[in-house]
Every structure is written in C-alpha cells, then in structure tokens.
Amino acid sequence: MIKHIAKSLAAAVLVLAPTHLAAQDVAVRAETLHTMDGAAINDGIVVIRGGKIVSVGPAASTGVPEGMEVLTAKVATPGFVDARTVVGLAGYLNQFDDQDQLDTGAALQPQLRAIDGYNPDETLVDWVRSFGVTTVHTGHGPGTVVSGQTMVAKTWAKTADVAAIVPRAMIAANLGPNALDSDKGPGTRPKQMALLRAALTAARAGQVPDEAQKRRAQEEENDLGTIKLDVRVWRDVLARRVPLMVTANRSQDIMSALRLKEEFDIDLVIDGGAESYRLLDQLREAGVTVILHPTMGRHYGDMENASFTTAATLREAGIPFALQSGYEAYVPKTRVILWEAGWAVANGLAPQHALASITIDAARAIGVGERVGSLTVGKDGDVVLFDGDPLEYTSHVTGVVIDGRVASREVR
C-alpha cells in the first residue's frame, strides 16, 4: 500500500514538474487580485519583468507591454511562503537514504547546514509547489536539542545553491519530548536547558579578549587553525546575526525558551506553540513571532492541548504568527499550507488574515518580507492562480509563477 501511494504521488508530481524555467516576462490578470499590500483589486494585473514585479493595479490603468504573455485567473495571490517545513531534506519515500532532516549523533549540532542536505529535485518540493508554495523555510527538524540550521529557498531551482535565497536562516532548537532521550540524553527538561545555557555561556565567554579566554579560544581551534564550527554559530546567535528557533509546544517549554531569550538577549522564534494561547501576555511582552503548528496537526503528546482556534486567538491578541506545514514522521512527509489556512478560517481566522499567514506574515516571520509575500513593485514575481476562492476546498490552483518563471500550468 505504501509503495502504491508513493508511486502515485511520484507520477502526479512528475507531470507537474517544470520542464523549462528560463526567466520570463509575464503578466497575470485576475478577476480578484489579492496583493497582500492593501485591498484586493477587482480586475487586477501584475506585470513581471526580469523576475521582478514592475507594476500592479487595475487593468483599466495598468498597461501590459505588447507581446507579453498574459495568464488569466479567477483569483490570484502572492506565492505562498511555508514558514516551517523539512521538504527537500525529508524525502517522500521515507527511507534511510532520503531522510537528512535529523542526525542523532549528538545533542547539540548547530553547525549542520541545511543547504548541504537540501535536494531541490525531491518529489515533495515539486508537490508543494504544485499547490502554490513558491518559498520554503526548510531545514533540520525535531529530535535533538539543537538539530542544525534552516534555509530559505525558492521551489523552482534545480540546484541547492540557486534555490537558496537565505542559506542560513535560523538555528533549530527543540525543547520538551521532541528532544528527550533517556538512553543517550538529555533525559529531562532541566538538562535540555542546561546544555543550551552552557553552549551560549561558553561562546559568550570566548568573546572576552583577555589572556585566559585567548588560551581557551586556542584550545577550541581544530587542526586547520579555525574556530570550531559550533562555537562560530553560537557567537552569531549571541550577536543576533541569526535567530534561535525553538520548537516548543507545552507552555512550560515555551516559558523556558522565553527565559533563554531574556538571559542571553538573543533573537527568538517560537516554532509549534500549541499552548501559546495560554501565554498571550508573555509572548506579547517578549515580542516574539510564533510559527504556529499546522491547524490540523495531530493533537497528542506535547500537542494534546492544541486548539483549532489558536491562529485566530494569536491574531486577536496582536502576536505576529505564521502557519506552517511542519514535519510529518510518516508518508507523504508533508502537509499543504493552503489547506491548513483553510481550516484556520473554518475555526475563526478571517480569510484575509489566513492568506496573510501563508504570504506576507510568513515572509516577515522568516526574515524575507522585503523580497516575497506580497504583490508589490520591486519584489519577486511569485504568483499563484486559482479558479475560485483560494480557501475553498472546491477551488483549484491553475498556475504557479516563480521569479517570473511559469513553474506550473496544471490544475491542482
């Protein structure tokens, strides 16, 4: 049965895989154009040249250069931004050789780079792109206290270096049962926090230029005379050059992450946040963003108190958040953020806010809001075309444009 599902998924995506992705000059005209940069435009046009948006507006006042291809749709939106996933590292076959999202060799491995494991030809990348996902924040998943780094990538490119628009986006840490191991350790929550504090404290001490610290720094050097990779990463976290993203669902684990932020004055992003609705005041005061678990995430384990209405609750409380597809242990290994947003609407989140949670708000959450997430002049030419309301289950994606490249013309 599993092999049958895998073969069917592979066949479906093979049809959707783009065969020609040269940069194009293209325009999209839609009866309703959701720019996510102001009100929706009736009979709107977005014009893309050289991969960038050059004009957006009503068809009556927005010219399309002669000879430019015009794609038409009932509704068009910005390309979707998946704010947290492991696609490209976790493969759809769910076999040992296509699972690079987690290495259990050590509890702390911040030096593991997502770009070194990212496979842009992975079937799941094609799969999510066919449903309008043009940008992914992907990388190492739960399982150890610090599993590695994340990256931000476009879903059209066929090499990791071309796909990556942010090669190192965040450092992925995990608290609670996702990183507890009574055999290998750490076996308790206090030990998880102690490991993180020890790593940050050691890196901070190494920044003090006295003779004792210089000697310690020399001891940290490897045979090539360079500072150990993990120490470099922690120093970048302390210098706020890269955020620490902590997967935490229980309120006690979220609070531990907030204490870490206050103690070391670091940039923090909460991933998961199943019980974040219990800590609205604390999250607002800390000024952190929540990359919220999938709306339909399974409510068991540390997510047993998850709620379908958390997205609406966070929005009402003024706490910045984005939805995500997350990480699935079983085939097909990923969710589709468009569907997660639709379920959030069914549970109290306004439609425009649901679209924002997978476009502009998601882009801001992962630090690329100046480049993607809205149909704004100067931003990347990423557009999704629909034959109806994007958040209705009866509607279909009819086309996907990424950086001005027509990546899909199939009906999904």
Side-chain angles (χ1 to χ4, degrees):
M1 183 64 179
I2 294 174
K3 290 183 178 179
H4 175 72
I5 294 173
K7 288 181 179 178
S8 299
L9 180 59
V13 175
L14 184 61
V15 173
L16 297 167
T19 57
H20 178 66
L21 284 179
Q24 296 172 258
D25 293 341
V26 65
V28 175
R29 182 171 183 173
E31 293 180 24
T32 302
L33 186 66
H34 293 283
T35 68
M36 308 314 297
D37 186 14
I41 300 173
N42 294 324
D43 191 16
I45 286 182
V46 53
V47 180
I48 303 167
R49 277 190 179 278
K52 298 290 185 180
I53 297 171
V54 296
S55 61
V56 182
S61 58
T62 306
V64 177
E66 185 176 353
M68 178 177 285
E69 180 181 10
V70 179
L71 306 177
T72 59
K74 186 84 172 177
V75 180
T77 72
F80 297 142
V81 180
D82 192 337
R84 178 66 164 122
T85 182
V86 292
V87 296
L89 280 82
Y92 86 108
L93 290 176
N94 202 33
Q95 297 176 351
F96 176 78
D97 61 352
D98 72 347
Q99 302 300 302
D100 285 326
Q101 77 276 17
L102 177 65
D103 187 303
T104 58
L108 302 179
Q109 300 188 89
Q111 71 274 23
L112 301 186
R113 305 194 313 168
I115 195 171
D116 294 328
Y118 183 72
N119 177 13
D121 270 330
E122 166 53 42
T123 299
L124 289 181
V125 176
D126 292 337
W127 176 249
V128 298
R129 184 185 60 240
S130 74
F131 289 101
V133 177
T134 58
T135 303
V136 291
H137 175 221
T138 189
H140 292 85
T144 61
V145 178
V146 177
S147 55
Q149 303 174 16
T150 64
M151 63 184 287
V152 179
K154 289 297 185 75
T155 57
W156 70 265
K158 292 305 175 185
T159 69
D161 295 280
V162 174
I165 61 176
V166 183
R168 186 187 66 175
M170 299 185 193
I171 308 303
N174 306 279
L175 293 177
N178 284 321
L180 289 175
D181 189 328
S182 58
D183 294 325
K184 295 181 180 179
T188 65
R189 285 178 165 87
K191 184 63 175 292
Q192 290 176 338
M193 291 299 295
L195 288 173
L196 289 171
R197 285 196 175 93
L200 287 165
T201 299
R204 183 166 61 185
Q207 293 176 329
V208 181
D210 61 24
E211 291 304 317
Q213 307 308 336
K214 288 180 181 178
R215 287 195 299 272
R216 174 178 291 182
Q218 289 176 349
E219 293 172 358
E220 291 172 347
E221 292 182 356
N222 62 22
D223 293 339
L224 297 178
T226 57
I227 298 296
K228 287 182 178 178
L229 295 177
D230 58 339
V231 176
R232 285 188 173 186
V233 174
W234 288 123
R235 290 178 181 175
D236 285 344
V237 171
L238 288 168
R240 304 178 75 171
R241 287 190 283 267
V242 58
L244 184 68
M245 178 180 65
V246 177
T247 300
N249 283 304
R250 296 281 191 189
S251 55
Q252 67 185 109
D253 296 323
I254 296 172
M255 284 303 302
S256 291
L258 295 181
R259 284 193 294 272
L260 200 70
K261 169 183 168 58
E262 182 177 4
E263 182 178 345
F264 290 95
D265 191 27
I266 59 177
D267 289 335
L268 175 73
V269 174
I270 296 295
D271 168 46
E275 297 182 12
S276 57
Y277 59 85
R278 294 178 167 179
L279 301 169
L280 300 179
D281 292 339
Q282 293 88 339
L283 290 167
R284 190 187 302 108
E285 183 179 354
V288 300
T289 294
V290 177
I291 302 179
L292 188 62
H293 62 82
T295 307
M296 296 183 285
R298 298 176 181 87
H299 295 187
Y300 70 95
D302 68 337
M303 284 186 60
E304 66 180 354
N305 295 318
S307 170
F308 287 111
T309 63
T310 301
T313 300
L314 292 178
R315 180 75 195 194
E316 185 177 357
I319 295 170
F321 79 96
L323 288 176
Q324 59 168 300
S325 65
Y327 21 83
E328 295 296 305
Y330 198 56
V331 293
K333 301 295 289 187
T334 188
R335 296 174 178 270
V336 177
I337 54 171
L338 176 59
W339 304 341
E340 302 299 331
W343 272 96
V345 170
N347 288 275
L349 187 63
Q352 68 269 27
H353 298 154
L355 279 179
S357 74
I358 58 173
T359 55
I360 187 59
D361 289 349
R364 289 168 178 159
I366 61 175
V368 292
E370 295 301 313
R371 180 166 177 175
V372 300
S374 67
L375 301 179
T376 304
V377 172
K379 287 192 177 184
D380 293 354
D382 300 345
V383 189
V384 189
L385 291 73
F386 291 88
D387 60 8
D389 184 340
L391 298 171
E392 285 288 347
Y393 76 97
T394 53
S395 299
H396 305 87
V397 175
T398 59
V400 181
V401 178
I402 310 175
D403 292 334
R405 299 162 168 84
V406 180
S408 173
R409 300 175 187 268
E410 300 295 326
V411 176
R412 298 297 301 151

